[in-house]
Amino acid sequence: MKKKILILSGGISKERAVSLDTGFQVAKELKKKYHVKLSEPDSKLSETIQKFKPHIIFNALHGQFGEDGYIQTIFESFRIPYTHSGVLASSIAMNKELSKKIFLRNKILTPKYFKYSFDKKDKDLIKFIEKKLKFPVVIKPINEGSSVDVFICQKSNILKKISLLKNYKNILIEKFIGGREIQVAIMGSKKLGAIELKPKRKFYDYKAKYSKKAKTEHIIPVDLSKKNYNKILQIAFDAHKLIGCRGVTRSDFKFYNNKFYLLEINTQPGMTKLSLVPEIAKHHGINFLDLIEWILKDATFNK
Ligand SMILES: Nc1ncnc2c1ncn2[C@@H]1O[C@H](COP(=O)(O)OP(=O)(O)O)[C@@H](O)[C@H]1O
Ligand SMILES: [Mg+2]
């Protein structure tokens, strides 16, 4: 009998469209060998799980209530193995403030930052930034992904840009790091590899990530010395282990002045046609079906 796989995609996050795409690509492949059901994590989720009785849940969700540990508690309560990271690692990795604190504690370089709270309006914000970080800076939500609501700001436009994020209680203001953009995939205990992105746009924003027309260049293998290549892979591996991640993760870096700055670690990396983990895997001889079957086999719950 074929194993039953429940693939969850869509959801309520701002990365809903990306997740639907991830779910679709994963379902298309897994259908070749498994009994697959592609579903939304809606109010009928418990009913869906009880009726379908999946052997494994493939979590193809991104962003809030998918990647942040909340939905993982539901999978835990059913005691059904699910893919990718567990409750705690998902929560920590999704929270850029918390994960950056952990990186810094463990001597992993990450851009200098501070948390800006909309409750405590800072009158001298510009002066403060000039003193602490210098312009340009990057403003970003603490719990989003796919570059949603990420902006590079100059002194002249920061107040206007910040006001666009006022629906978030808190945001991060980070020092802008120039240089190259490199991302690394970790697959369990395997340091899978790295890829460089050269966006034609101002930075690797939502369009640069998901629109073919934006023509972001993907460079693999990455042009780094062997020493630096090993170093960036090791940092991603250490971050994966430190946060307690499982399955496949993707860590986003900036490389500037011969230093790697870790921006974040993603516990539910995209699996769309333009996604980077499948591309890195392919370059290292692992095709898409092999990759997602490995993710399936790695699925578990907290026993
Ligand atoms: N401090 C920074 N300096 C330079 N570019 C940044 C910085 N932070 C973010 N970016 C740009 O924004 C993109 C998205 O930021 P990231 O922190 O990875 O958040 P997300 O979870 O939305 O992917 C990065 O891939 C990079 O291109
Ligand atoms: Mg990112």
Side-chain angles (χ1 to χ4, degrees), residues 96 140 144-145 147 174-175 177 181 203 209 252 264:
K96 290 190 173 79
K140 58 175 85 169
E144 291 287 355
S147 301
E174 257 184 25
K175 188 174 176 63
I177 309 291
E181 173 119 16
F203 74 105
K209 284 179 178 175
D252 300 350
E264 59 150 352

Side-chain angles (χ1 to χ4, degrees), residues 26 40 47 78 88-89 106 136 210-211 214 224 228 283 292:
V26 170
E40 287 264 356
E47 211 180 301
F78 279 101
L88 191 58
N106 291 280
Y210 302 114
S211 159
L224 282 175
N228 272 334
H283 182 80
I292 53 184

